[in-house]
Amino acid sequence: MSLPSDFFGRIVFILQLYGPSFLSGAGKTMAIAIVGTFIGCIIGFAVGIIQTIPVIKSDNPIKRFLLKLLKFILNVYVEVFRGTPMMVQAMFIFYGSSVLFGINMSTVFAAYFIVSINTGAYMAETVRGGILSIDQGQTEGAKAIGMTHFQTMVNVIMPQALRNIMPQIGNNLIINIKDTCVLSVIGVVELFYATKGVAGAYYTYFEAFGITMVIYFILTFTCSRILRYWEKKMDGPDSYDLATTDTLAYTSGMVKFPDPKEKEDK
Amino acid sequence: MTGEKVLEIHHLSKTFGTNVVLRDIDFSVNAGDVTCIIGASGSGKSTLLRCINLLETPTTGEILYHDVDITDRKMNVPSYRTKVGMVFQSFNLFNNMTVLENCLVGQIKVLKKDKEEARKKAMMYLEKVGMAPYINAKPKQLSGGQKQRVAIARALAMEPEILLFDEPTSALDPQMVGEVLAVMRTLAKEGLTMIIVTHEMAFARDVSSRVVYMAGGVIEEEGAPADIFGNPKKNSTKEFLNRFMQG
Protein backbone atom coordinates (compact mmCIF):
# COMPACT_ATOMS: atom_id res chain seq x y z
CA MET A 1 0.00 0.00 0.00
CA SER A 2 1.49 3.32 -1.00
CA LEU A 3 0.73 6.84 0.19
CA PRO A 4 -1.90 8.61 -1.97
CA SER A 5 -0.87 11.93 -3.49
CA ASP A 6 -3.90 14.06 -2.50
CA PHE A 7 -4.55 15.48 0.99
CA PHE A 8 -7.87 13.76 1.71
CA GLY A 9 -6.62 10.55 0.25
CA ARG A 10 -3.73 10.63 2.68
CA ILE A 11 -6.07 11.32 5.57
CA VAL A 12 -8.23 8.34 4.69
CA PHE A 13 -5.10 6.26 4.28
CA ILE A 14 -3.79 7.25 7.72
CA LEU A 15 -7.14 6.64 9.37
CA GLN A 16 -7.40 3.19 7.83
CA LEU A 17 -3.91 2.25 8.89
CA TYR A 18 -3.66 4.00 12.27
CA GLY A 19 -7.28 4.56 13.33
CA PRO A 20 -6.91 2.32 16.39
CA SER A 21 -3.80 4.28 17.45
CA PHE A 22 -5.74 7.53 17.44
CA LEU A 23 -8.63 5.93 19.30
CA SER A 24 -6.51 4.41 22.03
CA GLY A 25 -4.59 7.69 22.34
CA ALA A 26 -7.83 9.66 22.64
CA GLY A 27 -9.10 7.10 25.15
CA LYS A 28 -6.04 7.51 27.33
CA THR A 29 -6.26 11.29 27.08
CA MET A 30 -9.87 11.24 28.24
CA ALA A 31 -9.15 8.75 31.01
CA ILE A 32 -6.33 10.89 32.38
CA ALA A 33 -8.32 14.11 32.04
CA ILE A 34 -11.48 12.75 33.68
CA VAL A 35 -9.78 10.87 36.51
CA GLY A 36 -7.35 13.77 37.07
CA THR A 37 -10.15 16.32 37.18
CA PHE A 38 -12.25 14.14 39.48
CA ILE A 39 -9.48 13.45 41.99
CA GLY A 40 -8.31 17.04 41.63
CA CYS A 41 -11.80 18.21 42.58
CA ILE A 42 -11.77 16.04 45.68
CA ILE A 43 -8.36 17.41 46.67
CA GLY A 44 -9.57 20.93 45.89
CA PHE A 45 -12.69 20.53 48.03
CA ALA A 46 -10.72 19.16 50.95
CA VAL A 47 -8.12 21.93 50.77
CA GLY A 48 -10.75 24.60 50.15
CA ILE A 49 -12.80 23.54 53.17
CA ILE A 50 -9.77 23.50 55.44
CA GLN A 51 -8.68 26.94 54.20
CA THR A 52 -12.04 28.40 55.23
CA ILE A 53 -12.18 26.95 58.76
CA PRO A 54 -12.20 30.02 60.97
CA VAL A 55 -9.43 30.25 63.58
CA ILE A 56 -11.34 31.05 66.74
CA LYS A 57 -9.52 32.78 69.55
CA SER A 58 -11.34 30.81 72.21
CA ASP A 59 -10.07 27.46 70.88
CA ASN A 60 -7.18 25.92 72.75
CA PRO A 61 -3.68 26.97 71.58
CA ILE A 62 -2.59 23.53 70.32
CA LYS A 63 -5.62 23.22 68.07
CA ARG A 64 -5.06 26.72 66.77
CA PHE A 65 -1.38 26.04 66.08
CA LEU A 66 -2.11 22.80 64.23
CA LEU A 67 -4.78 24.45 62.15
CA LYS A 68 -2.46 27.29 61.23
CA LEU A 69 0.35 24.89 60.37
CA LEU A 70 -1.96 22.81 58.20
CA LYS A 71 -3.20 25.90 56.42
CA PHE A 72 0.40 27.02 55.82
CA ILE A 73 1.38 23.65 54.32
CA LEU A 74 -1.67 23.66 52.07
CA ASN A 75 -0.85 27.20 50.97
CA VAL A 76 2.64 26.09 49.99
CA TYR A 77 1.15 23.18 48.03
CA VAL A 78 -1.26 25.46 46.16
CA GLU A 79 1.34 28.09 45.36
CA VAL A 80 4.02 25.63 44.22
CA PHE A 81 1.77 23.60 41.94
CA ARG A 82 0.02 26.62 40.50
CA GLY A 83 3.31 28.42 40.08
CA THR A 84 5.27 25.85 38.06
CA PRO A 85 4.52 24.31 34.64
CA MET A 86 2.89 20.89 34.64
CA MET A 87 5.46 19.69 32.11
CA VAL A 88 8.28 20.48 34.53
CA GLN A 89 6.37 18.91 37.43
CA ALA A 90 5.93 15.77 35.36
CA MET A 91 9.68 15.46 34.74
CA PHE A 92 10.52 16.39 38.33
CA ILE A 93 8.12 13.94 39.94
CA PHE A 94 8.54 11.06 37.52
CA TYR A 95 12.34 11.05 37.50
CA GLY A 96 12.76 12.52 40.97
CA SER A 97 10.70 9.82 42.64
CA SER A 98 12.91 7.10 41.22
CA VAL A 99 16.21 8.90 41.97
CA LEU A 100 15.33 10.14 45.45
CA PHE A 101 13.02 7.46 46.80
CA GLY A 102 13.62 4.54 44.49
CA ILE A 103 9.95 4.51 43.52
CA ASN A 104 9.43 3.38 39.95
CA MET A 105 6.05 4.72 38.97
CA SER A 106 4.45 3.48 35.80
CA THR A 107 4.05 6.33 33.35
CA VAL A 108 0.28 5.96 33.50
CA PHE A 109 0.19 6.17 37.28
CA ALA A 110 2.49 9.20 37.14
CA ALA A 111 0.11 10.80 34.64
CA TYR A 112 -2.95 10.35 36.89
CA PHE A 113 -0.97 11.53 39.88
CA ILE A 114 0.44 14.67 38.26
CA VAL A 115 -2.81 15.82 36.65
CA SER A 116 -4.69 15.19 39.92
CA ILE A 117 -2.45 17.21 42.19
CA ASN A 118 -2.10 19.94 39.61
CA THR A 119 -5.85 20.25 39.22
CA GLY A 120 -6.19 20.03 42.99
CA ALA A 121 -4.08 23.15 43.42
CA TYR A 122 -6.25 25.13 41.01
CA MET A 123 -9.48 23.72 42.38
CA ALA A 124 -8.49 24.62 45.94
CA GLU A 125 -8.57 28.29 45.00
CA THR A 126 -11.74 27.83 42.97
CA VAL A 127 -13.49 26.10 45.86
CA ARG A 128 -12.32 28.78 48.27
CA GLY A 129 -13.78 31.39 45.95
CA GLY A 130 -16.98 29.36 45.66
CA ILE A 131 -17.35 29.19 49.42
CA LEU A 132 -16.68 32.91 49.81
CA SER A 133 -19.32 33.65 47.17
CA ILE A 134 -22.07 32.18 49.36
CA ASP A 135 -23.86 34.80 51.43
CA GLN A 136 -22.82 34.90 55.08
CA GLY A 137 -26.49 34.65 56.01
CA GLN A 138 -26.55 31.02 54.86
CA THR A 139 -23.85 30.18 57.40
CA GLU A 140 -25.66 32.09 60.13
CA GLY A 141 -28.93 30.39 59.31
CA ALA A 142 -27.26 27.00 59.59
CA LYS A 143 -25.48 27.87 62.81
CA ALA A 144 -28.68 29.22 64.32
CA ILE A 145 -30.30 25.77 64.08
CA GLY A 146 -27.29 24.23 65.78
CA MET A 147 -25.16 22.97 62.91
CA THR A 148 -21.43 22.58 63.43
CA HIS A 149 -18.95 24.05 60.96
CA PHE A 150 -18.66 20.70 59.22
CA GLN A 151 -22.42 20.14 59.01
CA THR A 152 -22.89 23.67 57.69
CA MET A 153 -20.30 23.06 55.00
CA VAL A 154 -21.65 19.69 53.88
CA ASN A 155 -25.37 20.45 53.97
CA VAL A 156 -25.62 24.11 53.12
CA ILE A 157 -22.50 25.79 51.76
CA MET A 158 -20.89 23.13 49.59
CA PRO A 159 -23.97 22.24 47.53
CA GLN A 160 -24.40 25.92 46.67
CA ALA A 161 -20.69 26.50 46.14
CA LEU A 162 -20.53 23.44 43.89
CA ARG A 163 -23.27 24.86 41.69
CA ASN A 164 -21.44 28.18 41.45
CA ILE A 165 -18.12 26.63 40.51
CA MET A 166 -19.49 24.13 37.97
CA PRO A 167 -18.41 26.35 35.05
CA GLN A 168 -14.92 26.43 36.49
CA ILE A 169 -14.84 22.64 36.94
CA GLY A 170 -15.82 22.33 33.29
CA ASN A 171 -13.07 24.75 32.39
CA ASN A 172 -10.58 22.62 34.27
CA LEU A 173 -11.71 19.44 32.56
CA ILE A 174 -11.26 21.03 29.15
CA ILE A 175 -7.87 22.41 30.07
CA ASN A 176 -6.88 18.95 31.31
CA ILE A 177 -8.00 17.25 28.08
CA LYS A 178 -5.66 19.54 26.17
CA ASP A 179 -2.84 19.68 28.68
CA THR A 180 -2.39 15.94 29.02
CA CYS A 181 -0.30 16.28 25.85
CA VAL A 182 2.57 17.65 27.96
CA LEU A 183 2.75 14.24 29.63
CA SER A 184 4.23 12.88 26.42
CA VAL A 185 7.56 14.07 27.85
CA ILE A 186 7.53 11.19 30.31
CA GLY A 187 6.36 8.75 27.64
CA VAL A 188 2.65 8.54 28.33
CA VAL A 189 1.02 7.28 25.15
CA GLU A 190 -1.88 9.69 24.96
CA LEU A 191 -3.31 11.32 21.88
CA PHE A 192 -0.41 13.68 21.16
CA TYR A 193 2.25 11.00 21.64
CA ALA A 194 0.30 8.57 19.47
CA THR A 195 -0.04 11.20 16.75
CA LYS A 196 3.69 11.86 16.74
CA GLY A 197 4.30 8.19 16.08
CA VAL A 198 1.76 8.10 13.27
CA ALA A 199 3.07 11.29 11.69
CA GLY A 200 6.66 10.07 11.77
CA ALA A 201 5.92 6.76 10.06
CA TYR A 202 5.08 8.26 6.66
CA TYR A 203 6.20 11.81 7.34
CA THR A 204 2.59 13.06 7.19
CA TYR A 205 2.69 15.69 9.96
CA PHE A 206 0.05 18.00 8.53
CA GLU A 207 -2.47 15.24 7.91
CA ALA A 208 -1.90 13.41 11.19
CA PHE A 209 -2.09 16.52 13.31
CA GLY A 210 -5.08 17.70 11.31
CA ILE A 211 -6.90 14.58 12.41
CA THR A 212 -5.72 15.11 16.00
CA MET A 213 -6.93 18.72 16.01
CA VAL A 214 -10.39 17.52 15.05
CA ILE A 215 -10.32 14.77 17.71
CA TYR A 216 -9.30 17.19 20.47
CA PHE A 217 -12.01 19.62 19.45
CA ILE A 218 -14.68 16.92 19.42
CA LEU A 219 -13.59 15.79 22.89
CA THR A 220 -13.62 19.25 24.44
CA PHE A 221 -16.79 20.42 22.70
CA THR A 222 -18.71 17.30 23.72
CA CYS A 223 -17.56 17.68 27.31
CA SER A 224 -18.51 21.32 27.50
CA ARG A 225 -22.02 20.57 26.14
CA ILE A 226 -22.52 17.71 28.59
CA LEU A 227 -21.44 19.91 31.50
CA ARG A 228 -23.75 22.70 30.40
CA TYR A 229 -26.64 20.24 30.34
CA TRP A 230 -25.65 18.96 33.77
CA GLU A 231 -25.61 22.50 35.17
CA LYS A 232 -29.14 23.05 33.93
CA LYS A 233 -30.23 19.86 35.63
CA MET A 234 -28.64 20.98 38.90
CA ASP A 235 -30.71 24.16 38.85
CA GLY A 236 -33.87 22.09 39.08
CA PRO A 237 -37.24 22.98 37.63
CA ASP A 238 -38.31 26.60 37.33
CA SER A 239 -41.76 25.97 38.70
CA TYR A 240 -43.17 23.96 41.55
CA ASP A 241 -46.44 22.20 42.36
CA LEU A 242 -48.56 23.18 45.28
CA ALA A 243 -48.90 20.22 47.58
CA THR A 244 -52.43 19.26 48.54
CA THR A 245 -51.59 17.95 51.96
CA ASP A 246 -54.84 19.11 53.44
CA THR A 247 -57.91 19.03 51.23
CA LEU A 248 -59.68 21.51 53.49
CA ALA A 249 -56.89 24.00 52.96
CA TYR A 250 -58.38 25.03 49.62
CA THR A 251 -61.76 25.88 51.03
CA SER A 252 -60.36 27.71 54.03
CA GLY A 253 -58.52 30.07 51.71
CA MET A 254 -55.03 29.27 52.83
CA VAL A 255 -53.70 28.70 49.36
CA LYS A 256 -52.48 31.59 47.33
CA PHE A 257 -51.99 30.60 43.76
CA PRO A 258 -48.81 32.01 42.28
CA ASP A 259 -49.31 35.01 40.07
CA PRO A 260 -49.34 33.76 36.46
CA LYS A 261 -47.42 36.87 35.38
CA GLU A 262 -44.59 35.96 37.71
CA LYS A 263 -44.28 32.56 36.10
CA GLU A 264 -43.98 34.10 32.65
CA ASP A 265 -41.13 36.28 33.82
CA LYS A 266 -39.13 33.23 34.75
CA MET B 1 -42.99 26.58 84.07
CA THR B 2 -44.06 30.16 83.40
CA GLY B 3 -42.16 32.66 85.43
CA GLU B 4 -38.99 30.63 85.75
CA LYS B 5 -35.87 32.49 84.73
CA VAL B 6 -34.43 31.01 81.56
CA LEU B 7 -31.98 33.66 80.50
CA GLU B 8 -29.98 36.10 82.57
CA ILE B 9 -27.49 38.56 81.18
CA HIS B 10 -24.95 40.19 83.48
CA HIS B 11 -22.67 43.11 82.60
CA LEU B 12 -22.60 42.21 78.94
CA SER B 13 -20.52 44.40 76.68
CA LYS B 14 -19.36 44.12 73.11
CA THR B 15 -16.77 46.12 71.24
CA PHE B 16 -15.82 45.96 67.59
CA GLY B 17 -12.27 47.27 67.62
CA THR B 18 -12.51 50.59 69.47
CA ASN B 19 -16.20 50.92 68.76
CA VAL B 20 -18.27 50.12 71.84
CA VAL B 21 -21.59 48.67 70.70
CA LEU B 22 -22.96 47.29 73.96
CA ARG B 23 -22.19 48.68 77.40
CA ASP B 24 -22.87 46.83 80.62
CA ILE B 25 -26.18 45.24 79.68
CA ASP B 26 -28.17 43.55 82.42
CA PHE B 27 -31.44 41.87 81.75
CA SER B 28 -33.27 38.64 82.19
CA VAL B 29 -36.03 36.71 80.52
CA ASN B 30 -38.61 34.49 82.19
CA ALA B 31 -40.28 31.54 80.56
CA GLY B 32 -43.28 32.65 78.54
CA ASP B 33 -42.09 36.26 78.27
CA VAL B 34 -42.45 38.11 75.01
CA THR B 35 -39.75 40.75 75.19
CA CYS B 36 -39.63 43.40 72.51
CA ILE B 37 -36.42 45.35 72.11
CA ILE B 38 -36.96 48.73 70.49
CA GLY B 39 -34.63 51.60 69.71
CA ALA B 40 -33.01 53.53 66.89
CA SER B 41 -30.83 51.80 64.31
CA GLY B 42 -27.30 51.39 65.60
CA SER B 43 -28.36 51.31 69.23
CA GLY B 44 -27.05 47.76 69.63
CA LYS B 45 -30.37 45.87 69.58
CA SER B 46 -29.36 43.38 66.93
CA THR B 47 -25.90 42.91 68.40
CA LEU B 48 -27.48 42.08 71.76
CA LEU B 49 -29.67 39.48 70.11
CA ARG B 50 -26.73 38.05 68.18
CA CYS B 51 -24.72 37.83 71.40
CA ILE B 52 -27.52 35.81 72.99
CA ASN B 53 -27.21 33.29 70.16
CA LEU B 54 -23.41 33.58 70.21
CA LEU B 55 -23.28 34.64 66.58
CA GLU B 56 -21.24 37.43 68.11
CA THR B 57 -18.90 36.64 70.97
CA PRO B 58 -19.46 39.02 73.89
CA THR B 59 -16.35 40.96 74.90
CA THR B 60 -17.09 40.81 78.62
CA GLY B 61 -19.94 39.72 80.84
CA GLU B 62 -21.89 36.53 81.13
CA ILE B 63 -25.03 35.05 79.68
CA LEU B 64 -26.68 32.45 81.89
CA TYR B 65 -29.02 29.96 80.32
CA HIS B 66 -30.68 27.98 83.10
CA ASP B 67 -27.80 29.12 85.34
CA VAL B 68 -25.12 27.83 82.96
CA ASP B 69 -22.76 30.42 81.53
CA ILE B 70 -22.86 29.94 77.76
CA THR B 71 -19.91 32.25 77.12
CA ASP B 72 -17.73 29.63 78.81
CA ARG B 73 -15.14 28.10 76.53
CA LYS B 74 -16.19 24.56 77.30
CA MET B 75 -19.76 25.30 76.33
CA ASN B 76 -21.15 23.17 73.49
CA VAL B 77 -22.37 26.06 71.38
CA PRO B 78 -24.21 24.12 68.63
CA SER B 79 -26.32 22.20 71.13
CA TYR B 80 -27.16 25.44 72.96
CA ARG B 81 -28.28 26.97 69.67
CA THR B 82 -30.78 24.17 69.10
CA LYS B 83 -32.58 25.42 72.21
CA VAL B 84 -32.41 29.09 71.29
CA GLY B 85 -33.66 29.53 67.74
CA MET B 86 -33.27 32.61 65.60
CA VAL B 87 -35.22 34.26 62.82
CA PHE B 88 -33.31 36.75 60.71
CA GLN B 89 -34.17 39.96 58.93
CA SER B 90 -32.89 38.49 55.66
CA PHE B 91 -34.64 35.11 56.21
CA ASN B 92 -31.48 33.07 55.51
CA LEU B 93 -33.38 30.10 54.16
CA PHE B 94 -31.09 27.50 52.62
CA ASN B 95 -31.26 28.24 48.91
CA ASN B 96 -30.27 24.74 47.88
CA MET B 97 -33.24 23.13 49.59
CA THR B 98 -37.00 23.13 49.20
CA VAL B 99 -39.28 24.57 51.86
CA LEU B 100 -39.79 21.15 53.40
CA GLU B 101 -36.08 20.27 53.36
CA ASN B 102 -35.34 23.57 55.08
CA CYS B 103 -37.52 22.46 57.95
CA LEU B 104 -36.15 18.91 57.96
CA VAL B 105 -32.40 19.36 57.78
CA GLY B 106 -31.92 20.62 61.33
CA GLN B 107 -34.13 17.94 62.84
CA ILE B 108 -32.44 15.12 60.95
CA LYS B 109 -28.81 16.24 60.89
CA VAL B 110 -28.60 18.01 64.23
CA LEU B 111 -31.28 16.47 66.45
CA LYS B 112 -30.85 13.05 64.72
CA LYS B 113 -34.58 12.46 64.50
CA ASP B 114 -35.86 9.84 62.12
CA LYS B 115 -37.25 11.06 58.81
CA GLU B 116 -40.91 10.25 59.36
CA GLU B 117 -41.06 11.96 62.72
CA ALA B 118 -39.18 14.99 61.40
CA ARG B 119 -41.51 15.21 58.44
CA LYS B 120 -44.59 15.17 60.64
CA LYS B 121 -43.18 17.90 62.83
CA ALA B 122 -42.13 20.00 59.86
CA MET B 123 -45.58 19.70 58.29
CA MET B 124 -47.23 20.62 61.56
CA TYR B 125 -45.28 23.86 61.84
CA LEU B 126 -45.54 24.66 58.15
CA GLU B 127 -49.30 24.35 58.47
CA LYS B 128 -49.21 26.62 61.47
CA VAL B 129 -47.53 29.36 59.45
CA GLY B 130 -49.75 28.64 56.44
CA MET B 131 -46.97 27.43 54.18
CA ALA B 132 -47.83 23.72 53.98
CA PRO B 133 -48.93 23.87 50.32
CA TYR B 134 -45.53 25.23 49.31
CA ILE B 135 -43.34 22.41 50.58
CA ASN B 136 -41.91 21.73 47.11
CA ALA B 137 -40.97 25.33 46.36
CA LYS B 138 -37.43 26.67 46.50
CA PRO B 139 -36.81 29.85 48.52
CA LYS B 140 -36.16 31.92 45.38
CA GLN B 141 -39.69 31.13 44.19
CA LEU B 142 -41.33 32.63 47.29
CA SER B 143 -42.22 36.16 48.31
CA GLY B 144 -40.51 37.81 51.27
CA GLY B 145 -43.39 37.22 53.66
CA GLN B 146 -43.64 33.60 52.63
CA LYS B 147 -39.89 33.14 53.13
CA GLN B 148 -40.07 34.63 56.59
CA ARG B 149 -42.95 32.36 57.54
CA VAL B 150 -40.94 29.35 56.37
CA ALA B 151 -37.98 30.62 58.37
CA ILE B 152 -40.19 30.77 61.45
CA ALA B 153 -41.39 27.22 60.78
CA ARG B 154 -37.79 26.10 60.37
CA ALA B 155 -36.88 27.58 63.74
CA LEU B 156 -39.99 26.15 65.40
CA ALA B 157 -39.34 22.67 64.02
CA MET B 158 -36.27 22.54 66.27
CA GLU B 159 -38.70 23.09 69.19
CA PRO B 160 -36.52 25.70 70.86
CA GLU B 161 -37.16 27.03 74.32
CA ILE B 162 -36.54 30.61 73.28
CA LEU B 163 -36.99 32.10 69.84
CA LEU B 164 -35.07 35.22 68.86
CA PHE B 165 -36.39 37.50 66.12
CA ASP B 166 -33.96 39.96 64.56
CA GLU B 167 -36.11 42.59 62.82
CA PRO B 168 -38.20 39.88 61.15
CA THR B 169 -40.36 42.31 59.20
CA SER B 170 -37.91 45.05 58.25
CA ALA B 171 -37.27 43.68 54.77
CA LEU B 172 -40.97 43.29 53.94
CA ASP B 173 -43.69 45.47 52.45
CA PRO B 174 -46.68 46.39 54.64
CA GLN B 175 -48.92 43.60 53.43
CA MET B 176 -46.27 40.95 54.07
CA VAL B 177 -45.50 42.49 57.45
CA GLY B 178 -49.09 41.71 58.42
CA GLU B 179 -48.88 38.03 57.54
CA VAL B 180 -45.62 37.55 59.47
CA LEU B 181 -46.82 39.47 62.54
CA ALA B 182 -50.01 37.41 62.56
CA VAL B 183 -47.92 34.26 62.88
CA MET B 184 -45.86 35.81 65.67
CA ARG B 185 -48.99 36.88 67.53
CA THR B 186 -50.21 33.27 67.50
CA LEU B 187 -46.91 32.08 68.89
CA ALA B 188 -47.02 34.67 71.65
CA LYS B 189 -50.51 33.55 72.62
CA GLU B 190 -49.33 29.97 72.84
CA GLY B 191 -46.77 31.02 75.40
CA LEU B 192 -43.53 30.66 73.46
CA THR B 193 -40.69 32.61 75.00
CA MET B 194 -39.64 35.20 72.46
CA ILE B 195 -37.18 38.06 72.25
CA ILE B 196 -38.04 40.33 69.36
CA VAL B 197 -36.01 43.19 67.97
CA THR B 198 -38.52 45.26 66.05
CA HIS B 199 -39.54 48.62 64.67
CA GLU B 200 -43.21 47.64 64.73
CA MET B 201 -44.32 49.75 67.70
CA ALA B 202 -47.96 48.73 67.55
CA PHE B 203 -46.94 45.10 67.63
CA ALA B 204 -44.59 45.69 70.56
CA ARG B 205 -47.33 47.51 72.46
CA ASP B 206 -50.03 44.88 71.86
CA VAL B 207 -48.17 41.62 72.00
CA SER B 208 -45.20 41.93 74.31
CA SER B 209 -45.19 41.33 78.02
CA ARG B 210 -42.17 43.57 78.39
CA VAL B 211 -40.52 46.27 76.33
CA VAL B 212 -36.84 47.19 76.42
CA TYR B 213 -35.78 50.52 74.97
CA MET B 214 -32.14 50.71 73.94
CA ALA B 215 -30.06 53.71 72.93
CA GLY B 216 -26.32 54.08 72.44
CA GLY B 217 -25.53 50.54 73.51
CA VAL B 218 -27.28 50.66 76.88
CA ILE B 219 -30.75 49.78 78.11
CA GLU B 220 -32.36 53.17 78.74
CA GLU B 221 -35.66 51.95 80.04
CA GLU B 222 -37.57 48.74 80.40
CA GLY B 223 -40.97 47.83 81.67
CA ALA B 224 -44.49 46.78 80.81
CA PRO B 225 -45.61 47.97 77.37
CA ALA B 226 -48.33 50.12 78.91
CA ASP B 227 -45.73 52.01 80.96
CA ILE B 228 -43.16 52.41 78.19
CA PHE B 229 -45.66 53.53 75.57
CA GLY B 230 -48.14 55.28 77.84
CA ASN B 231 -45.92 56.87 80.43
CA PRO B 232 -42.20 56.75 79.59
CA LYS B 233 -40.00 57.94 82.44
CA LYS B 234 -37.02 59.14 80.47
CA ASN B 235 -36.94 61.97 77.97
CA SER B 236 -34.94 59.99 75.41
CA THR B 237 -37.62 57.31 75.38
CA LYS B 238 -40.31 59.95 74.96
CA GLU B 239 -38.47 61.57 72.07
CA PHE B 240 -37.87 58.27 70.34
CA LEU B 241 -41.51 57.21 70.64
CA ASN B 242 -42.78 60.62 69.53
CA ARG B 243 -40.67 60.48 66.42
CA PHE B 244 -42.01 57.04 65.67
CA MET B 245 -45.63 57.85 66.25
CA GLN B 246 -45.40 60.90 64.01
CA GLY B 247 -43.49 59.12 61.28
Side-chain angles (χ1 to χ4, degrees), chain A residues 58 137-138 140-147 151 155-156 159-160 237-238 240-243 245 254-256 266, chain B residues 50 53 73 78 81-82 88 92-97 105-106 109-110 123 130 133-137 141 158 179:
Chain A
S58 59
Q138 296 285 308
E140 290 189 349
K143 283 192 171 159
I145 58 169
M147 285 196 196
Q151 286 172 329
N155 296 305
V156 178
Q160 296 182 51
D238 279 343
Y240 58 93
D241 296 322
L242 288 173
T245 47
M254 279 170 75
V255 178
K256 278 186 203 154
K266 279 167 193 166
Chain B
R50 290 167 63 85
N53 205 13
R73 234 183 234 187
R81 287 195 183 121
T82 61
F88 299 88
N92 296 350
L93 289 180
F94 306 135
N95 295 326
N96 56 323
M97 300 177 197
V105 67
K109 302 285 177 188
V110 181
M123 288 310 297
Y134 295 89
I135 49 172
N136 297 323
Q141 295 159 331
M158 302 296 290
E179 64 188 54

Side-chain angles (χ1 to χ4, degrees), chain A residues 28-48:
Chain A
K28 181 121 304 158
T29 289
M30 280 312 287
I32 296 170
I34 289 173
V35 172
T37 309
F38 182 72
I39 298 177
C41 282
I42 293 172
I43 297 173
F45 273 94
V47 175

